[in-house]
Amino acid sequence: MPVHGLNARQWGLVAIVAAGPFVLAFLLGAAAPELLAPVLGTTLGGLSWLLATGLGILGGALFARILAALQRPRIQASPTLRLVGTLGGAGAVVGLCIVPAVVLLLAGPAWATHLDREQLPAPQGLRSLRSNAMDLLGQARRVIPHRLPLSQLLLPGPR
């Protein structure tokens, strides 16, 4: 049966499935405005949300096709087949399109933020704990020598 044979309730379900990621994107933007900066400011963030919306539309088209296939007389005659077909079709659409779309909606801004952060420079030379302690003690001795009498025993230097 062609897709145009669906009734209004079925088209409503298709519209809900297709618009789900798009609506979720608006809800995420309203609930967490800090997510919008990486999405609108970076190519990766914007593409992830655009791809998520496309997956939602693809899921809606797939669901419409599944609902049209469930309109066969043999399936319509059995309530059990109708229920199993509807739940199986919805599960396939959710698993193949909606879940990946939601993952893209959430992961896109995180990826964009992570890639935009500058990497911390690697330390030039790693020194031992003892050499760091001795260096700090030497600096303290130069600043306040009268308060650190033991530092003269530990560090050689001008007296």
Side-chain angles (χ1 to χ4, degrees):
M1 180 166 208
V3 176
H4 63 273
L6 297 178
N7 62 33
R9 283 187 316 181
Q10 291 167 329
W11 278 115
L13 289 173
V14 169
I16 289 171
V17 169
F22 191 70
V23 170
L24 183 61
F26 276 108
L27 292 175
L28 282 172
E34 63 272 4
L35 285 177
L36 292 179
V39 170
L40 298 176
T42 62
T43 305
L44 180 63
L47 284 177
S48 71
W49 280 29
L50 185 64
L51 184 59
T53 302
L55 277 172
I57 293 170
L58 178 68
L62 180 62
F63 194 54
R65 186 72 185 129
I66 290 169
L67 288 176
L70 292 174
Q71 299 300 314
R72 294 186 183 134
R74 179 177 162 255
I75 296 173
Q76 287 296 313
S78 170
T80 305
L81 281 177
R82 254 192 344 243
L83 178 68
V84 170
T86 304
L87 292 177
V93 169
V94 167
L96 294 173
C97 297
I98 303 305
V99 170
V102 171
V103 168
L104 282 172
L105 287 174
L106 298 174
W111 286 336
T113 303
H114 177 71
L115 292 177
D116 280 348
R117 287 187 191 148
E118 291 184 27
Q119 297 294 329
L120 294 175
Q124 296 298 327
L126 295 176
R127 299 184 326 178
S128 70
L129 181 61
R130 179 172 170 76
S131 65
N132 283 338
M134 290 299 191
D135 186 37
L136 287 173
L137 192 56
Q139 290 175 15
R141 183 176 149 227
R142 283 190 294 277
V143 173
I144 47 173
H146 59 282
R147 298 219 186 238
L148 296 171
L150 293 178
S151 65
Q152 293 175 356
L153 299 174
L154 296 174
L155 290 177
R159 295 182 188 240

